[in-house]
Amino acid sequence: MSIEIALGAALLAAFPRLRRRLQLSRAKHPSLAGHSRMAKRVARLVPGYGYDEQEFFGVDGAPPEVQARRRNGFELLSRHLCESAPATLALTARAREGLSDLQLTGRYRVPFQFSEYVRGKLPVGAFWQSAAGVQLQDLDGNRYYDLTGSYGVNVFGVDFYKACMEEGARLGSALGPVLGGYHPCVAELVERLRAISGLDEVSFHMSGTEAVMQAVRLARYHTGRKHLVRFTGAYHGWWEDVQPGPGNPLPPRETYTLKDMDETTLRVLRTRRDIACVLVNPLQALHPNRNAPGDSTLVDGSRQAGFDRAAYTAWLQRLRQVCSERGIVLILDEVFVGFRLAPGGAQEYFGVQADLVTYGKTLGGGLPVGVVCGRAELMRRFKPERPADLCFARGTFNAHPHVMGSMLAFLRRIETPGIRAIYQDEPRWSGWAERFNQALRDGDLPVRIDALSSIWTVSYTQPSRYHWMLQYYLREQGLALSWVGTGRLIFSLNYSDADLAEVLRRFVGACCRMEADGWWCSPGLTHQAIRRGLLREMLQQRLAWN
Ligand SMILES: Cc1ncc(COP(=O)(O)O)c(C=O)c1O
């Protein structure tokens, strides 16, 4: 052993705080997503600038002939998008100025350097007239296959939710807006949710974000510890503590963002005494340690994904064991994946029992909701031995009669043989993803699909500055994505094989058009060269500012 190593070991043995600090650093993912504080600093340094028309088509140094093809394709695409949906686009333009959310989503569909030019030329309508089956219709009568999935709410198809909402409204109509007391159906809901979650108690909230807030608050209250652990890249709503990086103006406080599926994280959990809970969003199984794959961050195409059910199951089981040993509350945040993967949610699908589970989105049967289920001793909001020490949680609209009614309709319906059969058919989704991949390989197209059941993500097999353009070619083909773009395709489980075959045809068609228009023609380009070029650009912009 060298003298330096021996000295280092002696130092660590003598200073346990230093050792724990080092352990924490080792459990952080090396990417910016793993370093919230640093990511915020870097985000503040990025200068705002945009490409002019010249740069827009040739920022990767493509030859003039390729740039000409791109211009021509872009022009046709622009004409199609503008001319096919005039009423939808007019209303979108009218609402934009006063609708903050629309300004954000419109701006962050694509990498910011391209954003302004794209917004002017490739407008995307934000309004829908109606929905039926697996399709959406805009104000101009155009029909699109719905791959937005309504942020994951739409698991069984819009007609299913319309029926739940109607039934909920009927059930709740005699009470109308009466709050505070409960509609009688709440008793049945509690029984059903206890059975589904395998947990003792239930609380109702108004959104997934609120359910997560309450679960973390309860964990802190009962353990007397402050810190929560979340995994790199995982989304748990927009509350401060679970969103410690860019997007939140405050610096990270009591949140440790650690590596998902990694031994160093277990070591931290085994040794620290300040951790109240571990939050898990099982959607991350599709892209562990990576942020939601939005097209606005698709600057070079190095997005990667891949779902390994056995490995993720084994990880959750190890996490369960360590949390039990250390008295850390394991919270499974099923707001996104709950009721999509199996009737018993992610707990059933991955074979793990959590201490607290959060649900939301689809569980409201089409209406807004958040739910926490948990072990009795964790759900209690008071301590009889210390009556003034409460864990307060309310919310005016929690347990609204209409929401409770549509949730009951949802829970009753998912027990019917038709829905049970849909759940049994889960392997169908990986089969279809493989069919898409085969077609993409056959067409020699640089695109691949990874699937976590009916939640898909698109990755790219070669470097390019223009992968995000695919979302517009998909739109042209009548496939509607959310503002996140090609990183998140969400199918409802009522897609028939005929629907999927049609989506496949259109998807491959969009890729072929994109290929023919030259967007993937950038010979010799590497991810590294793209990143270097971007850094150079940004430095130049900063210098020009100063
Ligand atoms: C896993 C997870 N948790 C929490 C939330 C927040 O839910 P809501 O948007 O209803 O506040 C989301 C939303 O996407 C989510 O995916």
Side-chain angles (χ1 to χ4, degrees):
M1 200 192 304
S2 78
I3 185 95
E4 289 88 352
I5 294 178
L7 259 175
L11 211 64
L12 288 180
F15 297 102
R17 275 179 68 124
L18 186 65
R19 197 174 57 231
R20 281 204 306 276
R21 182 73 209 123
L22 210 65
Q23 255 174 7
L24 196 60
S25 297
R26 285 210 187 106
K28 290 188 177 200
H29 194 262
S31 64
L32 269 186
H35 292 77
S36 309
R37 211 174 278 271
M38 177 120 59
K40 280 170 70 70
R41 272 192 214 121
V42 171
R44 275 197 294 265
L45 289 175
V46 174
Y49 64 96
Y51 296 139
D52 62 21
E53 191 175 327
Q54 183 81 21
E55 291 165 319
F56 187 94
F57 294 100
V59 76
D60 56 352
E65 173 272 321
V66 172
Q67 291 190 38
R69 265 198 286 152
R70 289 176 183 171
R71 271 175 201 277
N72 190 40
F74 191 88
E75 204 42 54
L76 289 175
L77 196 52
S78 173
R79 216 175 303 149
H80 173 84
L81 292 178
C82 293
E83 288 173 6
S84 64
T88 313
L89 294 178
L91 197 63
T92 306
R94 193 176 122 199
R96 181 173 294 115
E97 194 185 319
L99 196 50
S100 319
D101 201 39
L102 198 48
Q103 290 176 29
L104 176 91
T105 53
R107 197 165 269 273
Y108 286 91
R109 282 179 171 272
V110 306
F112 70 87
Q113 297 91 339
F114 296 99
S115 181
E116 192 167 337
Y117 192 74
V118 164
R119 268 182 289 140
K121 301 276 187 183
L122 301 179
V124 174
F127 288 89
W128 299 112
Q129 188 69 50
S130 61
V134 291
Q135 293 192 336
L136 296 167
Q137 187 175 314
D138 69 10
L139 314 192
D140 299 276
N142 301 306
R143 287 176 197 280
Y144 299 78
Y145 279 95
D146 180 5
L147 304 179
T148 73
S150 295
Y151 294 124
V153 167
N154 185 0
V155 176
F156 296 109
V158 284
D159 301 307
F160 175 98
Y161 295 91
K162 285 182 191 174
C164 292
M165 287 162 74
E166 261 173 39
E167 205 173 308
R170 252 198 324 275
L171 209 66
S173 65
L175 269 183
V178 173
L179 300 163
Y182 295 112
H183 188 281
C185 77
V186 169
E188 181 178 336
L189 278 178
V190 170
E191 282 160 17
R192 284 178 179 271
L193 288 167
R194 289 175 68 183
I196 286 167
S197 65
L199 292 161
D200 309 315
E201 294 185 17
V202 177
S203 65
F204 297 108
H205 308 273
M206 291 152 295
S207 68
T209 298
E210 276 190 81
V212 170
M213 277 165 61
Q214 171 62 354
V216 173
R217 180 179 270 205
L218 285 167
R220 286 174 165 159
Y221 177 64
H222 288 290
T223 59
R225 306 172 193 162
K226 275 203 229 162
H227 283 80
L228 71 94
V229 166
R230 70 185 267 272
F231 293 116
T232 310
Y235 185 69
H236 295 282
W238 58 280
W239 167 50
E240 309 279 4
D241 287 22
V242 293
Q243 205 204 29
N248 174 354
L250 289 181
R253 294 180 306 178
E254 283 90 16
T255 304
Y256 295 137
T257 298
L258 303 185
K259 266 185 268 182
D260 211 346
M261 303 184 77
D262 198 276
E263 193 59 38
T264 53
T265 289
L266 298 182
R267 214 169 294 143
V268 168
L269 297 179
R270 277 197 205 100
T271 49
R272 292 192 80 93
R273 292 173 201 279
D274 57 353
I275 296 171
C277 58
V278 175
L279 257 177
V280 179
N281 175 359
L283 177 59
Q284 289 300 111
L286 184 56
H287 38 70
N289 292 307
R290 287 168 194 272
N291 286 331
D295 277 1
S296 69
T297 55
L298 194 56
V299 292
D300 59 0
S302 58
R303 179 154 87 191
Q304 277 172 13
F307 173 50
D308 181 339
R309 182 171 175 179
Y312 198 70
T313 300
W315 163 247
L316 287 187
Q317 284 165 356
R318 296 194 64 205
L319 203 54
R320 170 69 279 177
Q321 194 186 344
V322 174
C323 286
S324 300
E325 284 163 13
R326 300 292 299 168
I328 296 169
V329 178
L330 179 63
I331 306 173
L332 208 56
D333 180 1
E334 298 208 27
V335 168
F336 200 109
V337 298
F339 301 98
R340 182 176 283 273
L341 304 178
Q347 289 197 111
E348 177 184 333
Y349 190 77
F350 292 111
V352 68
Q353 177 72 62
D355 300 310
L356 295 171
V357 180
T358 53
Y359 300 109
K361 295 200 192 259
T362 196
L363 176 57
L367 293 180
V369 83
V371 166
V372 181
C373 296
R375 297 207 331 258
E377 66 275 23
L378 289 173
M379 293 293 281
R380 210 179 48 195
R381 302 177 198 178
F382 54 86
K383 295 177 179 168
E385 69 283 9
R386 270 186 270 140
D389 181 11
L390 298 178
C391 181
F392 189 79
R394 300 296 303 151
T396 302
F397 280 101
N398 85 47
H400 186 287
H402 285 217
V403 180
M404 296 295 103
S406 76
M407 191 190 298
L408 185 63
F410 174 87
L411 288 176
R412 284 181 178 167
R413 274 179 168 70
I414 65 168
E415 294 214 325
T416 57
I419 297 290
R420 291 285 146 161
I422 287 177
Y423 276 126
Q424 293 297 323
D425 213 12
E426 202 258 345
R428 181 168 92 104
W429 293 101
S430 46
W432 270 103
E434 186 40 42
R435 258 179 254 181
F436 271 62
N437 281 328
Q438 190 58 53
L440 292 164
R441 277 193 298 270
D442 291 346
D444 208 12
L445 295 160
V447 179
R448 67 162 280 131
I449 301 283
D450 284 288
L452 166 52
S453 187
S454 51
I455 308 163
W456 291 13
T457 188
V458 177
S459 307
Y460 300 89
T461 59
Q462 70 175 49
S464 165
R465 296 294 313 270
Y466 297 103
H467 291 311
W468 48 267
M469 276 293 294
L470 182 57
Q471 63 172 278
Y472 297 97
Y473 283 95
L474 292 171
R475 182 101 182 171
E476 184 193 39
Q477 292 285 328
L479 303 178
L481 310 182
S482 78
W483 70 285
V484 172
T486 60
R488 186 76 84 232
L489 313 184
I490 306 172
F491 291 90
S492 48
L493 304 186
N494 63 326
Y495 263 86
S496 68
D497 284 344
D499 295 325
L500 286 164
E502 180 57 20
V503 172
L504 186 152
R505 192 185 68 74
R506 294 180 187 208
F507 189 91
V508 173
C511 294
C512 289
R513 294 258 296 116
M514 172 122 169
E515 166 95 340
D517 287 345
W519 300 103
W520 283 318
C521 187
S522 21
L525 197 63
T526 64
H527 290 127
Q528 201 185 32
I530 293 176
R531 283 195 289 263
R532 278 210 193 117
L534 277 167
L535 202 61
R536 211 170 25 244
E537 264 175 36
M538 289 186 198
L539 282 172
Q540 277 162 2
Q541 292 293 331
R542 295 262 334 162
L543 289 175
W545 269 9
N546 293 331

